[in-house]
Amino acid sequence: MLRGGRTMSEENQNNIRISNFGISYNTTIAAAVATAVGGFVPAHAQDAFEGIDEVKVTATKRGDMNIQDLAGSIQAFSTEAIRNQNLFSMEDYAKFTPSMSYFGNQSGAGKIFFRGIADAPDTFIASSSAAVYLDEQPLTQSAQVDVRLIDIERVEALSGPQGTLFGSSSQSGTLRIVTNKPDPTKFESFADITLKSMEEGDPSYDISAMVNIPLVEDKFAIRLVGFSATEGGFIDNVLGNTPLEEVYGRTTVDGLQFNTAAVKENWNETTIDGARVGAKWFINDDWSLQMMVSHQSATSDAENTYDPTVGDLQLIAFHPDSRTDDWTAYGLTLEGAIGKLRFTSASAYFTRDSVYVQDTTSYIGYFSTFCYGNTSGATSTYNIYCMQPAGQNYWYSDPVGFLNNDQRNTSLSQEFRLSFSNERLDWVAGLFWEDRDEEWDFTTQTQGFAESQAWEFWNSYYNVSPQVTDIFWRSNDATNWESLAVFGEGTFHFNDAFSITAGARWFDVDSKKVYFVENPLGRRTPSGLMLDGTAADDRACLYAEAPCNGAGVDSDNPADDGFNRINSNDSDVAIKVSAQWKFSDDKMMYALYSEGFRPGGVNRNRGAPKLAPGYAADFLTNYEFGLKSQWADGRFQANVVAFFQSWDDYQLEVVDPSSTSCAVDPTPPCGQPWQKGVTNAGNASSDGVELQLEAAPSNRLSIHLDATWLSSELDSEVPGIDDVGPGSKLPFAPEFKGSLYTQYNWPTSMLGSEEAFVQFSFTHVGSSLNQVQATEGGLFIGATPQMTMQLYQTTNLKFGLVGNTWEANLFISNLGDERGQLYHDITDFEPYFGRQRTSVIRPREIGVRFFKRWE
């Protein structure tokens, strides 16, 4: 019996397998509740005990396999578990996946990390250390796509390196989101409605529907999915003034500035709309062709961040941190048999357009302090941040500003695979190719800049006449990655008890970057490079006292057009070896060695940077030992994994040390343009234990416990970064994270139902750090401190009634109204002024949900 009251026999009627080559499709309410959050059997009115459900996953790319038979750590959420747990977003299911950490301020702006392998939260050059897949399609980006979990067959969280089968950025783990596929055997549909309210904010709703239509019986079907959701806001932007006067007690030439125009209650509302269209054609018993188009659009009016120094769920901002995120994924998959081999071709195209706007009043206020000598070596004679009106030297400024980033990502990928299986040997081999592009245009503007001393400086110092504008900074980045990989993995079964698996992946990545800066808008700054990308004889911008080689010119290098062009190539091999021993029918031990990687890439290199033009791949090596077992005739399941991970030459995104003022450190190069880059920082380690316990004492009671213990720290010094060395903790790596889930079912005829259930879940997330650096160096000392996200705990309750084709429930989320901290954002220097920008989980919500299906 599944959680929610339907029998396994009903579920199994929805699963059909065609031929011996594993071509299958599942209808909407998939079979057993998965492990991790609920791979157990809820109570049922019948007397016979059915045992803990067997959970099938496809992570090996060799067809369906029992999760208990795999030599690796995997947690899975089925369709039923996703709906039963009210899981819609990454933030939702990350709470119940102890090996995975999540942080984010908005939908589509988050990151995930597995097993403590985290570098920096605000990376936009280095690749992610964890991969995200939608069906066969890689969606991994620096800000991960947050796929709404509507009509999803299964979510698989693969902990540890997955470099052989999933490749680039599957360094610490892989998150696979598998959609339900069209079913040509019958018509079916559902409607799902959720309504929520909260004391601190606005109400929320979620409406979704699915219809599966067989157009040719047993041959061809389409599946249509649509959803619309509004997450009510709960952050109040309250009346306040700019931070500079508040800290220093200065009166600006324009007097105090207040955020009157931006004041608003519950201003962080988010709307998410989307649709998915799938079609599947069973050409014959051995071949099928599937097409899928998924689209999602998210609009966030502001971030889920507040300032505890101002008040509970309150902040003072002059502009909302808004974001729009639109993406579409196209997939075409051909599967079939070639003799005794199974062939898979997965073609995919992805496009994403995102725009975000962020308040930078604290950011520009921090830099404007340099105009008055508050930072050693800074002067008012050369500073683009002297925002006081021209002709009013040394009147204090307290500027208001915001940034805007307009970004487009596209990727085209193709994978071909062959697989084989018999009693002794299982293997898969494949070829993967991807062409991926990212381009963004970034501007920062400050109110009144065109009338400021900084503007007057630029206009009089150079023989150029930039357009009159409040935009004092524009940067543009276009990067292309072309990847090629050959991979394979095979398992040899010596007998029914013992087997060995080995795999490898060779990869080659070409990276090309074109980058430029206009400062202010319309004045392109020198790159310091020749047109062919080599260093010029006389680089520009060598000293803080002289912007670029002397008055009247930007550069004495006529070949310097301001474009920074850097190319790199990186190739290597990742391997995997495991051995497993099944010492009884329901107990197995394994040992695993696996590697994951992030390919190298290219930095920006304006001026004379200290960081290298390119950086190399970093590797994660993992030694893992696990036990997967069932006891007491299938009433109890215990899985335990111990892992020891070494992160070699890990990529860390830092501010290039060359931006330090020459007056502070005259060692050349100094006084260079501010820019971020990636360096291969050194070595780190992350060791731990994962535990999954599952019990079904009776058909009415089910219990599940997941936990991860971590020890993640640096093993070596980080060049150029003070106070960071052996023993420094890695960020976003709580030492303990765990979840408990239990449900009790009983038969009833209340309101025409057949069964009732009560559900309790509890999560604990330990404290973690927001960055590896104690403070940023150079200009940012005291402005970007290392901060601790405090531990938090959440409790959820749910009561439901289940009928033959419907379910209704009442639930309370975050019963204790915890302010669980996801991230302390220091990128705009609020701590310098005694303020904070803290991202939190949603407050306590009370809701109802109704689900109805038709067949």
Side-chain angles (χ1 to χ4, degrees):
M1 184 76 182
L2 285 183
R3 183 186 313 145
R6 298 204 323 280
T7 65
M8 282 297 295
S9 59
E10 289 174 331
E11 288 297 331
N12 290 334
Q13 292 171 5
N14 292 331
N15 296 321
I16 298 190
R17 182 173 300 279
I18 297 179
S19 85
N20 294 324
F21 296 93
I23 301 174
S24 64
Y25 47 86
N26 295 316
T27 54
T28 175
I29 307 300
V33 177
T35 70
V37 194
F40 44 80
V41 183
H44 182 239
Q46 64 189 26
D47 294 328
F49 178 69
E50 297 177 345
I52 295 174
D53 294 330
E54 181 180 281
V55 179
K56 299 286 189 179
V57 294
T58 55
T60 63
K61 297 190 177 185
R62 285 175 273 171
D64 297 343
M65 294 191 69
N66 184 353
I67 201 170
Q68 289 296 104
D69 292 335
L70 295 178
S73 178
I74 304 178
Q75 294 179 277
F77 303 79
S78 72
T79 303
E80 187 77 1
I82 292 168
R83 180 167 59 84
N84 242 20
Q85 291 289 92
N86 291 342
L87 306 181
F88 291 104
S89 67
M90 280 186 176
E91 181 181 334
D92 293 334
Y93 54 81
K95 291 185 294 186
F96 297 98
T97 311
S99 64
M100 186 175 83
S101 298
Y102 168 86
F103 89 88
N105 297 333
Q106 294 166 307
S107 177
K111 290 180 180 287
I112 58 171
F113 306 108
F114 283 90
R115 291 182 173 176
I117 301 302
D119 42 22
D122 58 338
T123 56
F124 51 94
I125 304 174
S127 301
S128 171
S129 67
V132 175
Y133 274 71
L134 178 63
D135 291 326
E136 296 279 357
Q137 183 173 6
L139 299 184
T140 309
Q141 300 195 341
S142 57
Q144 299 286 22
V145 172
D146 194 354
V147 179
R148 195 77 173 169
L149 299 189
I150 306 297
D151 194 39
I152 298 299
E153 176 185 342
R154 189 172 60 256
V155 174
E156 299 175 4
L158 286 63
S159 301
Q162 309 295 324
T164 53
L165 292 182
F166 295 97
S168 176
S169 290
S170 294
Q171 183 182 57
S172 64
T174 299
L175 185 69
R176 302 185 66 234
I177 301 169
V178 183
T179 62
N180 279 310
K181 307 304 187 298
D183 179 354
T185 64
K186 64 178 180 180
F187 170 88
E188 60 176 341
S189 63
F190 72 70
D192 193 353
I193 301 174
T194 300
L195 302 174
K196 299 184 292 183
S197 66
M198 71 168 72
E199 182 179 350
E200 290 92 345
D202 290 335
S204 304
Y205 74 85
D206 188 289
I207 301 173
S208 61
M210 180 279 299
V211 58
N212 182 91
I213 307 173
L215 297 180
V216 179
E217 186 176 0
D218 295 335
K219 287 291 185 180
F220 184 77
I222 61 173
R223 193 178 190 93
L224 309 176
V225 179
F227 55 89
S228 179
T230 293
E231 298 287 353
F234 55 89
I235 304 293
D236 296 336
N237 186 26
V238 300
L239 183 65
N241 57 272
T242 49
L244 200 60
E245 189 278 337
E246 185 176 297
V247 172
Y248 292 105
R250 295 168 174 165
T251 301
T252 69
V253 66
D254 296 319
L256 287 178
Q257 298 191 70
F258 293 90
N259 64 335
T260 307
V263 169
K264 186 178 181 180
E265 291 186 352
N266 307 323
W267 80 333
N268 60 318
E269 179 179 279
T270 297
T271 59
I272 304 173
D273 302 301
R276 187 164 63 249
V277 179
K280 191 162 187 177
W281 175 28
F282 287 86
I283 303 169
N284 54 41
D285 286 348
D286 290 332
W287 287 88
S288 70
L289 181 66
Q290 177 182 291
M291 180 275 293
M292 191 77 71
V293 179
S294 301
H295 174 76
Q296 186 169 301
S297 176
T299 300
S300 301
D301 293 340
E303 293 182 345
N304 299 334
T305 58
Y306 82 111
D307 186 346
T309 69
V310 174
D312 184 33
L313 300 179
Q314 295 180 338
L315 82 165
I316 298 171
F318 284 75
H319 202 283
D321 298 330
S322 61
R323 181 184 180 91
T324 59
D325 189 12
D326 297 301
W327 59 266
T328 304
Y330 306 84
L332 184 67
T333 303
L334 176 67
E335 295 181 284
I338 303 177
K340 295 183 178 181
L341 303 178
R342 180 181 177 184
F343 172 79
T344 301
S345 169
S347 308
Y349 178 71
F350 175 78
T351 178
R352 183 186 193 186
D353 293 292
S354 57
V355 178
Y356 67 83
V357 179
Q358 186 167 310
D359 183 30
T360 56
T361 299
S362 294
Y363 177 93
I364 194 64
Y366 171 75
F367 277 106
S368 71
T369 64
F370 296 177
C371 201
Y372 316 108
N374 285 343
T375 299
S376 177
T379 71
S380 62
T381 58
Y382 165 48
N383 196 316
I384 64 170
Y385 300 101
C386 287
M387 298 302 174
Q388 70 267 28
Q392 300 289 331
N393 292 348
Y394 298 102
W395 276 97
Y396 288 117
S397 61
D398 203 359
V400 173
F402 65 91
L403 62 80
N404 183 92
N405 189 78
D406 191 344
Q407 181 167 318
R408 181 171 179 81
N409 293 81
T410 61
S411 66
L412 178 66
S413 63
Q414 175 65 53
E415 182 167 298
F416 297 109
R417 296 196 304 270
L418 285 173
S419 60
F420 173 82
S421 180
N422 64 17
E423 292 183 357
R424 290 294 183 191
L425 180 64
D426 303 315
W427 60 262
V428 61
L431 174 70
F432 174 81
W433 171 86
E434 182 182 42
D435 188 79
R436 183 162 59 94
D437 288 285
E438 177 177 282
E439 182 174 4
W440 48 258
D441 196 80
F442 175 94
T443 59
T444 301
Q445 68 181 68
T446 298
Q447 180 179 314
F449 176 71
E451 291 80 36
S452 69
Q453 177 177 303
W455 170 262
E456 184 179 70
F457 166 78
W458 288 122
N459 206 32
S460 62
Y461 195 85
Y462 293 101
N463 294 327
V464 294
S465 298
Q467 55 188 295
V468 178
T469 177
D470 281 345
I471 297 176
F472 70 83
W473 176 281
R474 178 197 177 197
S475 54
N476 183 283
D477 187 301
T479 306
N480 170 263
W481 299 267
E482 186 170 5
S483 305
L484 181 66
V486 179
F487 63 91
E489 188 172 296
T491 301
F492 183 76
H493 304 273
F494 290 91
N495 50 46
D496 292 341
F498 185 71
S499 62
I500 290 180
T501 299
R505 186 184 191 97
W506 171 84
F507 66 89
D508 182 90
V509 181
D510 283 316
S511 303
K512 300 176 182 179
K513 182 185 292 289
V514 178
Y515 177 72
F516 70 84
V517 169
E518 292 181 357
N519 185 201
L521 183 70
R523 175 192 165 269
R524 186 168 300 155
T525 64
S527 69
L529 300 175
M530 300 292 283
L531 289 175
D532 62 2
T534 60
D537 293 335
D538 190 358
R539 292 173 179 245
C541 298
L542 286 179
Y543 303 101
E545 290 74 16
C548 293
N549 296 320
V553 295
D554 274 347
S555 173
D556 60 5
N557 172 18
D560 190 343
D561 62 355
F563 285 95
N564 181 225
R565 301 173 178 89
I566 300 292
N567 302 335
S568 75
N569 175 267
D570 193 21
S571 62
D572 214 318
V573 176
I575 62 173
K576 170 184 174 180
V577 180
S578 69
Q580 62 185 91
W581 174 40
K582 193 169 185 178
F583 54 93
S584 72
D585 289 341
D586 52 10
K587 298 177 182 62
M588 181 266 285
M589 299 177 63
Y590 72 88
L592 168 67
Y593 172 84
S594 57
E595 295 179 347
F597 64 92
R598 289 186 297 178
V602 292
N603 280 320
R604 301 147 192 175
N605 286 275
R606 294 191 307 134
K610 287 186 176 180
L611 296 180
Y615 53 92
D618 58 357
F619 269 76
L620 182 70
T621 57
N622 171 57
Y623 297 88
E624 184 173 318
F625 305 92
L627 167 70
K628 295 187 175 183
S629 63
Q630 287 190 345
W631 309 77
D633 296 325
R635 293 179 182 270
F636 179 73
Q637 183 168 290
N639 296 340
V640 60
V641 175
F643 58 88
F644 308 89
Q645 299 181 130
S646 177
W647 196 6
D648 299 325
D649 296 324
Y650 72 92
Q651 299 168 11
L652 182 65
E653 195 165 303
V654 298
V655 175
D656 195 300
S658 65
S659 64
T660 302
S661 169
C662 296
V664 175
D665 182 2
T667 306
C670 58
Q672 295 298 292
W674 183 94
Q675 59 190 340
K676 271 201 164 184
V678 176
T679 183
N680 292 102
N683 299 325
S685 60
S686 184
D687 307 329
V689 175
E690 296 171 356
L691 178 67
Q692 298 177 21
L693 299 178
E694 189 173 331
S698 72
N699 282 335
R700 293 189 177 183
L701 177 64
S702 51
I703 305 168
H704 196 102
L705 173 69
D706 290 291
T708 296
W709 290 264
L710 273 178
S711 175
S712 304
E713 59 186 35
L714 301 184
D715 297 332
S716 60
E717 300 286 343
V718 178
I721 301 180
D722 295 333
D723 302 320
V724 177
S728 297
K729 299 294 184 183
L730 292 177
F732 300 101
E735 292 185 359
F736 175 76
K737 183 180 177 184
S739 65
L740 171 67
Y741 180 97
T742 184
Q743 180 168 306
Y744 183 78
N745 291 49
W746 68 94
T748 183
S749 58
M750 183 187 304
L751 301 177
S753 64
E754 298 178 353
E755 193 171 37
F757 67 89
V758 62
Q759 182 187 110
F760 169 85
S761 63
F762 174 81
T763 61
H764 174 99
V765 180
S767 62
S768 61
L769 301 175
N770 69 326
Q771 63 179 20
V772 68
Q773 300 98 319
T775 61
E776 289 272 19
L779 301 175
F780 306 137
I781 295 175
T784 55
Q786 186 184 76
M787 300 177 70
T788 298
M789 278 83 72
Q790 299 297 330
L791 69 84
Y792 67 91
Q793 300 168 333
T794 58
T795 300
N796 302 323
L797 294 176
K798 186 176 182 181
F799 170 77
L801 296 174
V802 180
N804 184 38
T805 60
W806 60 270
E807 179 180 325
N809 56 69
L810 171 69
F811 61 87
I812 304 176
S813 302
N814 192 4
L815 180 65
D817 202 25
E818 291 275 337
R819 300 291 179 263
Q821 298 175 349
L822 297 175
Y823 177 42
H824 290 305
D825 189 346
I826 54 161
T827 55
D828 286 302
F829 312 136
E830 279 85 359
Y832 183 79
F833 301 102
R835 295 183 175 181
Q836 293 184 31
R837 183 182 290 190
T838 300
S839 176
V840 292
I841 63 175
R842 295 184 67 80
R844 178 173 54 235
E845 292 182 289
I846 300 176
V848 294
R849 187 172 185 178
F850 182 77
F851 177 87
K852 169 69 176 176
R853 63 186 175 93
W854 295 268
E855 293 184 353

